[in-house]
Amino acid sequence: MSDPSDPADAVRRLAEPGPPRPVSALAGLARHPGRALALLWSWLTGRRLRARQGFAALVGIDHRLALPPATLAAFPEAPEAFADPEIVLLTAPGHTLVAGASEAIRAAFADPGLHALYGDALAQSRPGGPVIPLLRPAFDPDFLAAVDYVGPVVALRRAALDPAGIDPRGSAADALFRIAERFGAAAIGHLPRVLTLRQPDRTGPEEGRGHAAAVRGHLDRIGRSDARIEPAGEGRLRIVHPLPDPRPAASLIVPTRDRLDLLRPCVESLLATDWPDLDLVVIDNDSREPETRAYLDGLTAAGRARVLPWPGAFNFAAMNNEAARIARGRILVFVNNDVVATDPGWLAAMARHALRPEIGAVGAKLIDGAGRIQHGGIVLGTGGGLVTHAHRHFPGDAPGYLARLTVPHRVSAVTAACLMVEARTFASVGGFDAESFAVDFNDVDLCLRLNAAGHHTLMVPEAALRHYEGLSRRRTPEAAARHAREIGALETRWGPLLAQDPHYHPGFDPDLSTHARLRPGALAGAPGPARRPPY
C-alpha cells in the first residue's frame, strides 16, 4: 500500500469524481422551470452546445471521469522493459509502460531541443476498481512545486544528465526542476497520450517521498532560499514567498456606474483588506442616482477613496488604463464592482506571487452567487472555440481536477474581475488594449501579451472572493455588435493559441465546463510532437 502522504496517490484521489448529486440537479431544474423548458427547446432544435452549457449553469457540474475497469484491456502492458542508450527512464514500483509507449517516447526525442518527457497515466485505487485518467498539462514549475502532478515516470535525454546535475536515482520532480533550470522550461515536453499504468497492488513504499526536498533544492538553486515550504494536506505543499518589509502600496481600481447595491459591499469589503497601504480608486462612469453620488462624495470627503470621473461611453480598458496612470501603488488590482472580498488576507495571498519578477498577472478564485466556481483561470479554445473559465459551475469547495482549485498554477489568462499586476509590468506592455478590446477580452489579451514578454500568468486559489457576475452589465444590439468585433480581433491576434491551450489537456471535451468530460477517443493520444510551454 502506498504512503498516505504520497503526492502521486493524492493526485490520483483528487482526479476522482465526486459523488453524483441528482437531488441538487433536480432541485435546480424545479426552481427554474422556465429556464429548464428553454434548455429542452434548445436541445430539441439542435442547439445542443447551448443546452449543455445552460444545463451546467443551472444545476452545477463536477467531473465524471471514473472509467470502468474494462478500460485497461485497451492498454496492455509493454511486452519488454524500456531500453535505449540515449534515453534514461525514471520510474517506480507499481508503474508500468503500456504497449507502444517505448516507441512514442523514442519518436518524441527525435526533437533535439527536448531533454525530458512525461505523458498521461491510468490509475486504480484498488484491484478491479474504477480507472482514473491522469491527464496532465504542459510543464508548470509552480504547479509541480505544490503537487507532484507528473508522478514518478519521466524520460530523460542521457546527454542532459551531467549538465543539469541529475542523479538518476533521484525523483522525477527533481530531474524536471534541474532540466528547466539548465535548459529552460521549453526543454520539457508532455505527450498527451497514456504512457503508463499505476496499479495499487504493485506500489512500493518509497513512491512519492522526497518531493519537499526536491522543491527545497529547486527554490535554493533559483535564489528563493527565503521561501518557506509548508505541508498543505493530501500530499500538497504550500510555497510561502516572502513579502517586502514594509509592504508596498496597493491600488485597488473599481469601475462603476450607479448600482450602489453592488458598489457599497464591494468597496467596504476592499477597505477591510489586511494590507497597510491601500489606495482605492473608484472610476465613476456617469453615475446619475443621488444615492450613488452621495456615497462617492462621502468616500472622497473621508479620505477613504479617490473618485476618477469618466464621462461618456463605457470603455473598460481605457478607464482602467487612466486609473492605473494616476494610481500610486506599486501593485495594481483591477476589481469589478460586483466582487466582494470575504477574507481580509486575499490581497497578501496574491501579492506574494505578483511581486515575483517572473510573474505578470495574478488571478483569484471567484465564487458566484449560487456558491459555485465562477472563475478558476481562463482556458483558451473552449466554449465554442474562444475562452472559458476553468472549472466553471463546479461546487465552490471542489478541489478541482488534479487539485488545481487548491494550489497556485500557471494559466493562459485570468479575469480582470480580480486581476493583480505590478504597475511597472502593466506599463511595460502598454496596459489594456482600449482600441481592440474596449469591453471584452481585454484581460485575456493583456495576459497573453504579458506571457509573450516573459511574465507568466498565475492562478492563486488561496485568494477566494465572491463575484456576482453580470449584475452590472446591460445587453443591447450595440453591445452585441461590439462583442462580435472583439471576437474577431481576438481570433486575428491569438488564433494559434486558441487552437489548444498548453495548460489544458486536449483530451477534455472543449464544449462543456472545463475538466468535466472527456472527448471521444481522448485516451488514444494524438499524432504530433510533445506539447511544450510556448512562453
Side-chain angles (χ1 to χ4, degrees):
M1 181 177 293
S2 60
D3 182 347
S5 64
D6 169 8
D9 193 52
V11 169
R12 190 268 310 157
R13 292 196 301 274
L14 290 168
E16 290 181 347
R21 307 184 183 200
V23 175
S24 61
L26 292 174
L29 293 172
R31 284 195 301 269
H32 304 281
R35 290 176 62 187
L37 289 173
L39 293 175
L40 177 61
W41 179 249
S42 294
W43 182 269
L44 294 175
T45 55
R47 295 173 293 171
R48 299 200 169 184
L49 171 59
R50 176 180 294 182
R52 292 169 70 190
Q53 293 174 335
F55 181 82
L58 186 60
V59 305
I61 201 166
D62 206 336
H63 56 260
R64 296 280 180 267
L65 301 178
L67 306 175
T71 304
L72 294 179
F75 298 91
E77 293 184 20
E80 299 177 351
F82 182 85
D84 190 296
E86 306 298 329
I87 302 171
V88 175
L89 185 70
L90 303 185
T91 186
H95 295 261
T96 56
L97 292 183
V98 302
S102 297
E103 293 78 5
I105 291 170
R106 291 191 187 96
F109 275 96
D111 179 349
L114 188 72
H115 294 295
L117 180 76
Y118 61 93
D120 301 325
L122 297 179
Q124 279 185 308
S125 58
R126 65 184 187 280
V131 175
I132 307 300
L134 303 179
L135 309 182
R136 291 149 173 154
F139 178 69
D140 175 356
D142 283 288
F143 191 24
L144 183 58
V147 175
D148 187 5
Y149 75 95
V150 172
V153 183
V154 168
L156 303 169
R157 190 180 296 279
R158 188 177 295 276
L161 298 185
D162 287 343
I166 295 172
D167 181 351
R169 297 167 299 180
S171 72
D174 180 71
L176 291 181
F177 283 134
R178 291 176 184 271
I179 289 287
E181 293 157 17
R182 174 64 177 82
F183 299 103
I188 300 172
H190 164 247
L191 204 57
R193 58 172 291 174
V194 174
L195 296 183
T196 61
L197 305 176
R198 182 180 183 277
Q199 298 172 316
D201 54 343
R202 303 183 187 177
T203 304
E206 296 300 318
E207 179 186 343
R209 295 185 179 180
H211 185 62
V215 175
R216 179 74 272 163
H218 169 62
L219 292 172
D220 291 347
R221 290 190 300 272
I222 64 173
R224 301 286 169 77
S225 57
D226 53 355
R228 299 196 318 274
I229 300 177
E230 300 175 349
E234 291 285 353
R236 292 166 288 182
L237 299 175
R238 180 172 181 251
I239 315 304
V240 184
H241 295 277
L243 289 167
D245 186 17
R247 298 183 183 185
S251 292
L252 312 178
I253 298 172
V254 182
T256 195
R257 176 183 291 171
D258 290 313
R259 293 308 304 262
L260 184 58
D261 58 321
L262 299 176
L263 179 64
R264 189 196 303 272
C266 171
V267 166
E268 299 305 322
S269 72
L270 296 181
L271 291 174
T273 297
D274 183 13
W275 194 263
D277 192 354
L278 294 174
D279 168 39
L280 178 60
V281 180
V282 179
I283 310 169
D284 179 22
N285 182 213
D286 280 339
S287 293
R288 306 293 176 83
E289 296 173 357
E291 296 84 356
T292 305
R293 295 298 319 156
Y295 180 71
L296 294 176
D297 290 344
L299 289 175
T300 302
R304 304 178 73 205
R306 291 183 287 159
V307 176
L308 172 65
W310 187 270
F314 179 79
N315 185 316
F316 179 92
M319 64 176 64
N320 277 289
N321 283 344
E322 179 60 19
R325 189 186 66 80
I326 68 167
R328 63 176 180 82
R330 174 182 169 184
I331 300 170
L332 303 176
V333 192
F334 301 98
V335 185
N336 278 12
N337 68 343
D338 50 6
V339 166
V340 173
T342 55
D343 178 358
W346 68 275
L347 196 152
M350 297 174 72
R352 291 185 186 279
H353 297 283
L355 293 172
R356 293 164 50 193
E358 75 275 21
I359 300 300
V362 173
K365 179 170 70 175
L366 301 180
I367 310 297
D368 67 18
R372 299 196 293 254
I373 300 295
Q374 186 272 327
H375 171 263
I378 289 176
V379 179
L380 307 180
T382 53
L386 290 173
V387 301
T388 304
H389 290 183
H391 291 99
R392 190 166 190 178
H393 309 309
F394 275 56
D397 59 354
Y401 185 69
L402 301 184
R404 288 173 74 83
L405 288 175
T406 67
V407 297
H409 59 279
R410 295 182 183 181
V411 292
S412 289
V414 294
T415 178
C418 183
L419 185 155
M420 178 183 290
V421 62
E422 273 201 271
R424 62 185 178 185
T425 306
F426 181 75
S428 72
V429 297
F432 294 112
D433 184 343
E435 295 297 322
S436 300
F437 304 104
V439 178
D440 291 320
F441 308 118
N442 40 64
D443 43 12
V444 176
D445 175 72
L446 172 68
C447 292
L448 294 180
R449 286 187 286 115
L450 286 168
N451 294 340
H455 305 289
H456 301 286
T457 301
L458 205 65
M459 170 67 194
V460 179
E462 184 180 351
L465 299 89
R466 288 276 178 172
H467 184 202
Y468 301 95
E469 182 189 24
L471 294 180
S472 59
R473 297 283 292 272
R474 298 181 177 89
R475 304 296 180 184
T476 65
E478 293 78 12
R482 184 261 313 146
H483 180 67
R485 291 193 300 271
E486 291 169 343
I487 288 176
L490 185 73
E491 293 174 331
T492 298
R493 182 173 295 178
W494 300 109
L497 276 177
L498 294 178
Q500 175 57 55
D501 192 314
H503 301 289
Y504 190 63
H505 196 284
F508 288 111
D509 184 342
D511 293 332
L512 194 61
S513 292
T514 66
H515 304 93
R517 299 286 188 276
L518 300 182
R519 70 163 82 221
L523 302 183
R531 300 193 308 154
R532 293 154 72 174
Y535 34 75

